[in-house]
Amino acid sequence: MRARELTADDLLPYQRLTRLAFGGGPVTEQEARPFSPGLIPLGISSADLPGGADGVIAAGAQIRRDRITLGGGTADCGGIGGVAVHPAHRAGGLFGELMTAVIARCATEGMAFSMLYPANVAIYRALGYQIVSQVQKVQVPLLDLQRLRPVPGTHLEAVTAQSFERVHALYRELTAGDNGMLTREGPLFPTGHPGGTWEAVLLVGEDGTDRGYLSFTRTGGEEGIGLEVHEVLGRTREDRLALLRSLGTWSTVTEQVRIRVRAEDPLLDALPGGRTRMDPQLQPWVMVRVIDTAAALSARPAPAGLEGTLRLVVTDDTVPAGTARAAGEFVVRIADGRVVVDLEGAADGSDVGGVSGSVHLDVHAAALLLIGGRSIADAERLGLGARADAPARALLDTLLSGPRPAVMDQF
Ligand SMILES: CC(C)(COP(=O)(O)OP(=O)(O)OC[C@H]1O[C@@H](n2cnc3c(N)ncnc32)[C@H](O)[C@@H]1OP(=O)(O)O)[C@@H](O)C(=O)NCCC(=O)NCCS
């Protein structure tokens, strides 16, 4: 295999490749430094290819070490970014070769999923990635918010370096039950206040409990939008109303705010006016690939009271057999709030009785479903490969039910 892990010596050639592919200023020597510890950079040297040049990376990509939420559990997820092939080496199959190595590395790292924001959906679909969500932003006229009544028993506090951890703790707590949200840990997410133009206010209850927060950047007011709101998270509907009311105070200096929201965000249900509209900017798709079916399923807690066993057969003809751990015939046992997954035949056999039937999924249906919040009927509607016996269908659908997947961070 020609793909290899890139080292500090490859950083400048890799930066030249990504600037070439995506634009940006020239690469300067000062930028030479090791890759971030949160990233696994992979690439193919031009010199290893027929007629290739020394000191040039022909194809490169980075795998982020991320964790995502899975309805109360979490799983490791390889976030893919910076995928580029040098123009001298395009249209020769290097993309597929590189991405196959990326998928294999995600598997070696024990990741359950891989996630990316595609510039082109089809080329990633061919490798088993499936659209599961889309970044969503809405434009909200502030006149709609300005007349919201005060919510008694709460007050706002400015977020400083000292109080930033309270924002992070709220984010973790209030998105823990979601599907697909990054947990924002580890070296890729610094633990301190982001600084720069990032601002936030905390909503605090009378008893001192943190109830929610609103984070934003004040912008120049282009198109009448003076505030980019990164997120509005509150424990309850009342808390979200209190935060929206605080947004309404900006109505003297700007007409509208743009708010990044999750799929079916509860915030949308708290907006009082009827003039909210989807932001017309192109919003990226979110694609996910299952790397390890057993890890993806067992990371998720089972709903209380749900019990049963099903056979799950996942097929994956998008990458060579053995590249990932998505494909296989699994026995999925759900009991006592846990999901235990064994390869068929590898299960100890002690309690494999009572199997409620089988579910067959291709790798695309598996991605759509295992990230959570969707049903086998959704996979069928999209024309993905999915079929199931009735009791097994009900069991798997119940296990995977929950909020539709959403991701707020872009990479
Ligand atoms: C997109 C890119 C990575 C493709 O690399 P490549 O090595 O030329 O691609 P391959 O030869 O391996 O082709 C892979 C598949 O993608 C398709 N493809 C390649 N470039 C494409 C393009 N610009 N538009 C649509 N499809 C394209 C090929 O037809 C091929 O499909 P096939 O297997 O069905 O024939 C490369 O052109 C590039 O670096 N572009 C600029 C940066 C970029 O867009 N990166 C991806 C960001 S998500």
Side-chain angles (χ1 to χ4, degrees):
M1 206 162 62
R2 294 181 292 193
R4 61 177 176 86
E5 181 158 350
L6 300 180
T7 65
D9 289 342
D10 299 308
L11 184 77
L12 286 176
Y14 176 65
Q15 285 181 339
R16 275 188 216 109
L17 172 66
T18 54
R19 301 276 165 101
L20 190 58
F22 304 113
V27 175
T28 58
E29 283 305 315
Q30 286 87 329
E31 288 176 277
R33 60 192 146 74
F35 286 88
S36 155
L39 296 173
I40 306 167
L42 297 184
I44 299 172
S45 296
S46 172
D48 290 345
L49 303 172
D54 284 335
V56 173
I57 301 294
Q62 295 181 333
I63 307 171
R64 295 167 52 99
R65 295 180 191 277
D66 279 321
R67 280 184 82 70
I68 56 169
T69 58
L70 288 177
T74 59
D76 287 338
C77 177
I80 312 303
V83 182
V85 175
H86 193 284
H89 295 287
R90 287 182 188 164
L94 274 198
F95 170 76
E97 183 177 338
L98 175 75
M99 282 303 299
T100 303
V102 162
I103 291 164
R105 180 61 184 263
C106 289
T108 311
E109 294 290 330
M111 292 165 172
F113 292 97
S114 169
M115 178 185 283
L116 51 81
Y117 295 86
N120 177 308
V121 167
I123 61 177
Y124 291 104
R125 194 170 195 288
L127 291 160
Y129 286 84
Q130 171 68 33
I131 291 176
V132 300
S133 187
Q134 187 175 25
V135 174
Q136 285 182 23
K137 291 181 184 173
V138 291
Q139 290 184 7
V140 181
L142 291 180
L143 284 177
D144 284 359
L145 306 183
Q146 149 189 57
R147 289 188 210 95
L148 281 169
R149 284 199 305 278
V151 176
T154 57
H155 68 272
L156 294 168
E157 287 181 16
V159 172
T160 61
Q162 286 69 41
S163 56
F164 175 75
E165 178 46 33
R166 288 159 60 193
V167 170
H168 195 206
L170 272 170
Y171 171 84
R172 279 197 306 265
E173 183 184 342
L174 299 181
T175 61
D178 286 2
N179 288 307
M181 292 282 276
L182 268 51
T183 59
R184 296 185 181 165
E185 298 160 311
L188 294 172
F189 288 95
T191 47
H193 190 290
T197 56
W198 189 94
E199 296 288 346
V201 288
L202 271 163
L203 181 73
V204 183
E206 259 169 356
D207 60 356
T209 315
D210 290 337
R211 312 275 333 158
Y213 71 93
L214 154 66
S215 62
F216 61 93
T217 292
R218 174 76 167 103
T219 56
E222 297 82 12
E223 306 162 57
I225 299 174
L227 232 56
E228 290 287 344
V229 179
H230 310 307
E231 52 220 33
V232 183
L233 295 181
R235 291 184 187 278
T236 63
R237 196 166 188 282
E238 284 293 290
D239 295 335
R240 292 187 275 275
L241 282 167
L243 291 165
L244 286 172
R245 176 181 153 81
S246 106
L247 267 183
T249 62
W250 288 90
S251 63
T252 49
V253 286
T254 186
E255 290 163 34
Q256 299 199 73
V257 291
R258 182 163 25 229
I259 311 181
R260 190 172 58 174
V261 290
R262 294 168 284 172
E264 296 161 7
D265 198 309
L267 185 75
L268 296 172
D269 189 60
L271 287 167
R275 290 177 300 164
T276 297
R277 60 186 173 98
M278 296 304 289
D279 188 73
Q281 283 178 346
L282 187 66
Q283 302 300 342
W285 295 107
V286 181
M287 295 186 91
V288 154
R289 191 195 201 286
V290 176
I291 298 293
D292 185 327
T293 294
L297 275 167
S298 54
R300 176 180 295 280
L306 188 71
E307 299 229 341
T309 301
L310 63 96
R311 264 187 85 231
L312 175 65
V313 181
V314 178
T315 53
D316 180 6
D317 58 6
T318 61
V319 290
T323 305
R325 300 195 187 98
E329 298 180 11
F330 304 92
V331 177
V332 182
R333 282 176 285 191
I334 303 160
D336 306 323
R338 291 181 59 228
V339 184
V340 177
V341 186
D342 290 297
L343 273 173
E344 205 168 42
D348 62 18
S350 56
D351 57 351
V352 180
V355 175
S356 60
S358 298
V359 177
H360 292 252
L361 304 175
D362 69 10
V363 71
H364 292 105
L368 186 82
L369 297 181
L370 298 195
I371 194 79
R374 302 297 289 269
S375 66
I376 295 173
D378 291 328
E380 288 168 338
R381 260 193 293 277
L382 295 182
L384 309 181
R387 63 190 164 84
D389 303 327
R393 167 187 294 255
L395 187 58
L396 193 66
D397 277 350
T398 310
L399 173 67
L400 300 173
S401 63
R404 280 197 171 213
V407 193
M408 282 182 149
D409 302 280
Q410 267 176 264
F411 46 81

